[in-house]
Amino acid sequence: MLHADATGDSRQEKQADAFAAEFLTPQDSILPFLPRRMDLARLAELRGVWGVSLHSLVYRCRELGLISDATASRTYQRLRALDGQPGFTAESVSNFPGERPSLLGRAFELAASEAGLSISRLAHELAWTSERVQNLLDVQEQKPVLRLVQ
């Protein structure tokens, strides 16, 4: 630590919080989805989409000027009271599916069409399972359709 004064620490803490909020929930991307009035049900839905806590979403609403400090404080109190209730328990990030890299899938499609690359060949080259490659590329392997012939 370079400075032991509390004002520097709190300033750094605020800067760190602001950075994390913008990194995890970029203003331009999340603003259209945030409620203009406090709506815990809506924030609970967004939690699953964005993979952040309800507290983080309340913080973001306050930071973006959608709610007042007083509303944020009351909401944090309400969340403490609801802790452990269905829909308000902390969720593990392992349940969050994450993002799907769209450019990676397009690059694979290009390599498949121009060089004949297949998922199984790519999986072999990477020493991964075909399922892992399919998941990463967000593609489903086409399985043959079986039909009953009489």
Side-chain angles (χ1 to χ4, degrees), residues 22 30 33 35 47-48 53 72 86 103 110:
E22 185 62 25
I30 199 165
F33 301 101
R47 173 181 66 173
S53 70
L103 291 179
L110 182 63

Side-chain angles (χ1 to χ4, degrees), residues 22 41 64 70 94 129 146:
E22 185 62 25
L64 296 175
S94 64
T129 64
L146 299 178

Side-chain angles (χ1 to χ4, degrees), residues 39-105:
D39 181 348
L40 288 178
R42 177 70 180 137
L43 293 182
E45 291 172 10
L46 291 174
R47 173 181 66 173
V49 173
W50 288 87
V52 296
S53 70
L54 287 170
H55 284 81
S56 295
L57 290 169
V58 172
Y59 176 89
R60 198 63 167 139
C61 286
R62 185 191 54 75
E63 184 183 58
L64 296 175
L66 300 175
I67 61 171
S68 67
D69 289 344
T71 299
S73 181
R74 286 191 304 273
T75 304
Y76 289 132
Q77 290 172 358
R78 180 81 175 125
L79 287 174
R80 279 192 293 278
L82 291 170
D83 191 32
Q85 298 293 321
F88 294 96
T89 56
E91 286 191 27
S92 169
V93 293
S94 64
N95 294 334
F96 181 63
E99 296 181 23
R100 298 285 189 205
S102 59
L103 291 179
L104 194 55

